[in-house]
Amino acid sequence: MFVYLSKKIAIPHNLALQVVAWNSAQGWIACGGESGLLKVLKLESGNEGGKAGGAQGNLSMNQTLEGHQGNIMVITWNDNFRKLTTSDQNGLIIVWMLHRGIWFEEMINNRNRSVVRDMKWSSDCQKICIIYEDGAVIVGTVDGQRLWGKEVKTQLAFVEWSPDGKNILFCTLNGEVHVYDTEGIYSHRVPIYCLDNGTEGTVAIAGIDWYDGVQGPDSQIPTLCVGFENGRVQIMRSDSDDKPVLIDTQLRCTGLKWDPHGSTVAVAGMQMQQGGNTGDREVGVVQFYAPQGQHLRTLRVPGSNLRSISWEGTGLRLALAVDSHIYFANIRPDYLWGYFSHTLVYAVLKKERSEHVVVFWDTQSDEKYTKYIKNVTHIRSSDEYCVLVTKADDSSGQYIIIICNDIGSPVDSKYLHIEPLHVAMTNTHVVVASDDVVYVWLYRSSVTKQSNDLAAAASMLGVGNKRRTEMMFHIDESFAPGTGMHDKEGFVPPVAPAQDPIACVTATEQCFLVSRESGLVQRYSLPHLSLETRFAIRCRPQVISANCDSSRMSVIDINGMLTLYDIEVRPSSRGMLDADARKMQGQEPACGQQLDFERKDVWNMQWASDNPDLFAIMEKTRMYIIRGLQPEEPVLSNAYICAFRDLQIQSVLIDEVIQSPEEPRKEVLLDFETKTLRDTRDILTKVSNLKDAFKFVDDNPHPRLWRLLAEAALDQLDFGVAEKAFVRFENYQGIQLVKRLRLLDDRVKQKAEVAAYFQRFDEAESLYREIDRKDLAIDLRVRLGDWFRVIQLAHGGNEDLLQQAWSAIGDYYADRGKWSNAAQYYTKAKNNGALVDTYYFLEEYDALEQLIQQLPEGSPLLKDIGDKFSLVGLCEQSVKAYLRHGDVKLAVDTCVMLNQWDQAVNLAQQQNFQAIEGLLAKYAQHLLDKNKKIEAVQLYRKANRHTEAAKLLAQLAKEMPGGPQKNPDRIKKLYLLAALEVEKYKKQTLDVQMTAATMGTMTTAQTVQSLITQDQSVSSDKALESPWRGGGGAPGGSHDRTGIAG
């Protein structure tokens, strides 16, 4: 996190302030001081105007509250009921309420016997506890009723409620903390561990604060903070925690407060500073700590007495009461976020779920992909991927590194045993560091196909096996390139803690830099890992970053000071010779030499990804773009910088995104342009002579500027300048365009082609039509694929072109699944091939059948239609299509496949297709082998083989288990069916013979002979000779044959 002072408000008459309190819900600021001074202020929202987003708001409320005479000692807000409670040194307590925008006295209480030392509302704002210095305690309700009072036998200094409202903590003047329940009954003393032995009870307490936010299941986060005047602080998990976090702030402590999220505690006080000739003097300091005790930041405050601090409700600002001023400090938290390929990824802790919601927000399409992941600690991004670092959800103590794409899908992951405190990512590597161990993972080889140079580097490393994609080494290790001592599997972590721990890391495509707390920076080469050089810088770095060609490094130290260093590795700079010594000897600047550039209060910076001399910084509430070492005019902004390329900065108001993570608005994305880009636009719009613009861009060369110039030159048809500009930014297509334009004989044609290049197609079309070249306008629309416009332009003209257009429009609708619209246009275009598919998808089989007659015989489309009909089981239509196509075998096969044996046999007889008899017999035998006689009967019946069916039925009747005694009805039915098959056979035979005789194709003698032959074939089987005997003679059956048949 970063902190900087952003605003100062002076109090009239130089009255010294004692206390300041910021209402976290509505944003009112109450401040009180000498001689009864009491004011309520409110700042205008700093987010108005979008781009500012800082603490630059003016006062929207400034009211003086009159009623106190003595010095104001305590101010407390009731956020839920919008009430303000104040007390002075005389013991007068006033409760104020807001009515029509003005604060009025609602209740007054005066106990002249002692001074009020502290007042606190419970976390639900229903009860207030007031303590007096003489030990008197009063607990009351929000509407003024007194619940109980008590006299404690000690002098009191502070009071605090437990978050659940069940206990009250009283701090005594001699530095003890006693716990009472809500009825005022003593429970126990809070153990104090942060003071030296023998000093307990002699050091006064400076402040107590118990964070009352919603705690998730993880109650191991310390929330109760107690600070003493000598600067010792302890942070506890509960009021009886025997292992609290202990801190020595080195301050004369005057107050402490948790931020509204419980993630930071601010400890305010005065620190003695040696002033040389002027002697020692005290300066105001605010120290920021994490709940586990890690020191986050130090803020120095001008003035001689820092008495009180209070957080804004968002946790992004801090109010400080210093002498007769209120200072405002802006907090820039270390959010978990990254930006890559138009996607903003960010993680927000959901306390009710005790896990992070990780949102991947595509800023172009506005689509969001949400994941829930526990214990996310870092997010970093490259051009195409991001890396999430999480703690494993088990007791192994491992950490997981997950590579994700832009929709949040995990692409690859690795487990680590070291704690990842610092993470950096490039397009090929992830670098993770703990206090003293560095881990490097070549993730790109597993994510995507390697480019040739990467593959070569990998082969040099021996990345063919899995081990060499992951490397680990100790920060003090020195190793030769290519040695195997830093494999992940073979690495043994050190036992002793690091003497000089790692402070931060950064990485580029060519190298990565590791900076240590002492200021020592070590540069390692990538992808073949080797220590290139090391050098020292004169500060304790917090964030380092390198430019795109790894020649410069920026450092933001723990005080927010930005400095630049030359880190280019030259043959002469591989030693550890001091930079100043090199300068004196007249040598080239050494690797690590500081450049003449410094900026204060910098909290964010980004190098341009395509220009090594260009970077942007956030300094307080302003953004500066710096070219070389020269800053441009600043722009008001409070946004974090996402990306810097093509002279354009993309930034995001991440504060607003984090406040409503599920519904980010596009208004939080801000784009800024560099001065050269703005100036080039101005020159091109205001100056008609392009030579001046060419000179300006030549002095400030950049591909984006050359592109702007080329486009402006094309607009003015100045092909000489356009060609030069295209050459300068190596645009081959642009050069070819200029050549083609020069060949055109007409300026209007040239203008139309330029308009088409700029995608102003309507303008290009109108230019073509002005010179009566409708054909060129149509050609333009054809190239664009704008077929609707082609039909309008070509109406009544070329029939082939119209058919092509109709067909293309049909394709347009078909691609979108609008098949009925597609069918209309395919019909107009006579595109039968597409119509077949369209009717099939629409299930319009009648229209598909009509298409069979319209197609010429032998057309390949007929086979396609036949296939489609057979797929949906329409045998007759399928056969019709195959026959028109001329493929009899396929037609017969389809009938067989669809089990239409009668049609198959008839077709085979008509087309003289012999193979069907063998196929029928083979299939019937197959069924009989499997003892599926009923199925075989059905097959014979469908194929009109009545005699075979009758024989099988009679056989079934004979072989019926149990005989006529057990299944008389079933046997009778089988015989009956056999008899009916014989009758069908006879009728069929007679019909055929008689028809032939009638038609004269057969003589009488032949007819008689044929009938005799058929009769003999039937009489060869007894069951067929007298078929009704079995049906009529079955036990229990009727002997009347006609009755059975009926």
Side-chain angles (χ1 to χ4, degrees), residues 113 153 257 261 389 514 545 570 711 741 872:
R113 285 178 21 209
K153 295 182 177 63
K257 279 283 186 293
H261 312 298
V389 180
V514 178
S545 180
R570 302 177 181 87
E711 289 171 356
L741 290 171
V872 293

Side-chain angles (χ1 to χ4, degrees), residues 499-532:
Q499 297 300 312
D500 183 11
I502 295 170
C504 44
V505 299
T506 188
T508 66
E509 302 305 318
Q510 299 90 23
C511 71
F512 70 90
L513 299 152
V514 178
S515 178
R516 303 170 76 168
E517 288 185 2
S518 65
L520 183 66
V521 180
Q522 296 173 206
R523 172 174 169 150
Y524 297 85
S525 62
L526 286 176
H528 48 281
L529 188 64
S530 63
L531 177 62
E532 289 186 308

Side-chain angles (χ1 to χ4, degrees), residues 723-741:
E723 187 171 33
K724 283 181 189 171
F726 278 128
V727 167
R728 293 297 286 271
F729 80 99
E730 299 172 7
N731 187 327
Y732 180 74
Q733 289 85 356
I735 298 166
Q736 293 302 310
L737 171 73
V738 172
K739 282 184 180 175
R740 203 167 67 246
L741 290 171

Side-chain angles (χ1 to χ4, degrees), residues 339 342-344 361-367 650 666 669:
Y339 182 82
H342 307 296
T343 300
L344 184 72
W361 176 32
D362 188 324
T363 56
Q364 285 190 331
S365 66
D366 206 21
E367 291 179 348
Q650 291 170 290
K666 283 212 170 184
L669 300 165

